[in-house]
Amino acid sequence: QEIFFYNISFSNLRGLNQPPLNSIDCDLIDISCAVCLHFKLFYEPVTTPCGHTFCLKCLERCLDHNAKCPLCKEGLSECLALRKYCKTVLMEELIAKYLPEELTERRKIYEEEIAELSNLNKNVPIFVCTMAYPTVPCPLHIFEPCYRLMIRRCMETGTKQFGMCIGDPKVNYPSRTVALVQYVVTEEIPLLLGENYAELLVLHDSVYDQAYMWFNSLKQPLKSRILSHFGPMPAKDPDPQASPNGPAWCWWVLAVLPLESRAQLPFLAMKSMKDRLNGIRRVLTFMSRTRSR
Ligand SMILES: [Zn+2]
Ligand SMILES: [Zn+2]
């Protein structure tokens, strides 16, 4: 089922707001993308400066690997740096006009793919990389093609979410890692349980002060490094339970403490804020003891 359009002059970089095309070019115009040939139809066609047309998603994926046109190998670094792709409006309109059924079918395939990626519990894309804590900035430099694709898809699905985990060096992760996730919710102590809540407040305040003192006792170069990477230590929360993730300063301290990731990990799984605070206190006490020795 090869379909060609004849006698349509076709300049790939022309949008509809450009002068009409009058000249007749007898080149055959193929409507299938050289990357995803089996679908037999472009989806969101875009054209490179070298004049080759691909589906937008196909071109993006190719450029993740190599900044060259997948067909003629012309360098496309400039086009990539601009991150602006010219949609080939003419091609899109021709397809919509002459092949509406095929286009509907093609769109369905695309939408199914996106729907599958939109579930927030099942098949959550996972970036095997480093530990990330709630509210603590985690700068990522993403260069592997599989992860670039993952992030782009996340941005498209509307959930804009993905998971992160530390990798096990003994495990060889597949290029597309997904997980069935379970959310960890910090258990709230009701204000009505006055005594328990008051206890939590005292613990919260004293661990905060301890952490604050520990940070201020660090040598200046280390302090500056921490500040430039993680920002300043968040302020003490008047109500430690105000945020569902607990106080931001706790996560900041955990990210900053010189702990191995295996030692940091259990803190993320704790459902009790009391346990988390006590754990931080233990680490801080250990740190100050080893230093004073
Ligand atoms: Zn394609
Ligand atoms: Zn090309």
Side-chain angles (χ1 to χ4, degrees):
Q1 194 204 343
E2 293 274 69
I3 305 154
F4 297 105
F5 287 105
Y6 291 89
N7 294 340
I8 300 159
S9 175
F10 176 72
S11 163
N12 288 312
L13 292 175
R14 262 167 213 269
L16 278 189
N17 49 354
Q18 284 172 293
L21 302 159
N22 298 317
S23 64
I24 288 174
D25 183 350
C26 287
D27 275 355
L28 301 182
I29 296 164
D30 197 340
I31 49 146
S32 60
C33 158
V35 180
C36 65
L37 267 174
H38 54 290
F39 288 129
K40 296 198 171 69
L41 195 65
F42 286 120
Y43 189 69
E44 298 186 314
V46 290
T47 306
T48 57
C50 51
H52 292 119
T53 306
F54 307 93
C55 311
L56 171 64
K57 304 289 174 285
C58 293
L59 181 62
E60 283 178 330
R61 289 188 70 164
C62 290
L63 294 180
D64 282 344
H65 292 268
N66 193 347
K68 284 182 178 150
C69 169
L71 270 180
C72 71
K73 308 293 171 209
E74 186 165 310
L76 295 176
S77 319
E78 276 173 46
C79 160
L80 188 63
L82 288 173
R83 294 233 157 262
K84 234 175 94 188
Y85 300 101
C86 251
K87 235 190 183 186
T88 314
V89 182
L90 179 59
M91 175 65 85
E92 200 169 46
E93 299 215 325
L94 286 171
I95 290 173
K97 182 157 184 207
Y98 294 104
L99 299 162
E101 278 166 40
E102 287 84 347
L103 180 62
T104 307
E105 187 56 31
R106 182 72 178 87
R107 186 177 295 129
K108 221 178 93 195
I109 295 170
Y110 173 75
E111 279 165 4
E112 275 166 8
E113 219 177 78
I114 290 299
E116 197 200 304
L117 297 165
S118 298
N119 191 312
L120 274 183
N121 285 73
K122 239 172 83 187
N123 295 332
V124 173
I126 299 293
F127 190 6
V128 183
C129 164
T130 179
M131 188 108 58
Y133 290 113
T135 70
V136 180
C138 179
L140 297 173
H141 178 61
I142 300 162
F143 53 89
E144 298 99 323
C146 62
Y147 288 130
R148 291 175 72 104
L149 172 65
M150 186 194 94
I151 302 289
R152 242 191 344 266
R153 282 180 165 168
C154 286
M155 298 309 286
E156 267 167 47
T157 53
T159 66
K160 297 190 171 48
Q161 293 191 30
F162 61 91
M164 273 177 59
C165 76
I166 46 173
D168 183 334
K170 280 174 265 160
V171 176
N172 201 357
Y173 294 93
S175 61
R176 180 167 177 256
T177 305
V178 291
L180 189 71
V181 302
Q182 212 183 342
Y183 293 92
V184 181
V185 182
T186 307
E187 283 158 6
E188 206 172 311
I189 298 176
L191 284 172
L192 288 173
L193 291 176
E195 214 174 291
N196 289 358
Y197 184 76
E199 242 173 60
L200 178 73
L201 266 186
V202 171
L203 179 64
H204 169 262
D205 288 3
S206 86
V207 180
Y208 180 91
D209 293 343
Q210 198 181 351
Y212 190 81
M213 265 155 47
W214 168 77
F215 179 65
N216 277 311
S217 71
L218 296 178
K219 293 211 173 78
Q220 196 51 49
L222 177 58
K223 231 154 97 180
S224 309
R225 262 211 312 282
I226 290 174
L227 288 172
S228 75
H229 196 85
F230 297 99
M233 180 171 167
K236 190 166 18 178
D237 302 42
D239 174 9
Q241 299 193 116
S243 147
N245 292 318
W249 68 264
C250 280
W251 299 118
W252 184 92
V253 169
L254 282 169
V256 160
L257 280 171
L259 286 173
E260 271 187 39
S261 39
R262 295 279 149 203
Q264 290 175 315
L265 198 56
F267 284 97
L268 275 174
M270 284 176 187
K271 288 185 173 176
S272 144
M273 200 188 303
K274 243 181 177 166
D275 290 351
R276 202 184 305 141
L277 289 165
N278 278 321
I280 295 173
R281 179 154 73 179
R282 266 198 304 278
V283 178
L284 287 168
T285 308
F286 177 79
M287 296 276 169
S288 52
R289 251 191 236 139
T290 42
R291 201 177 3 204
S292 58
R293 240 184 246 152

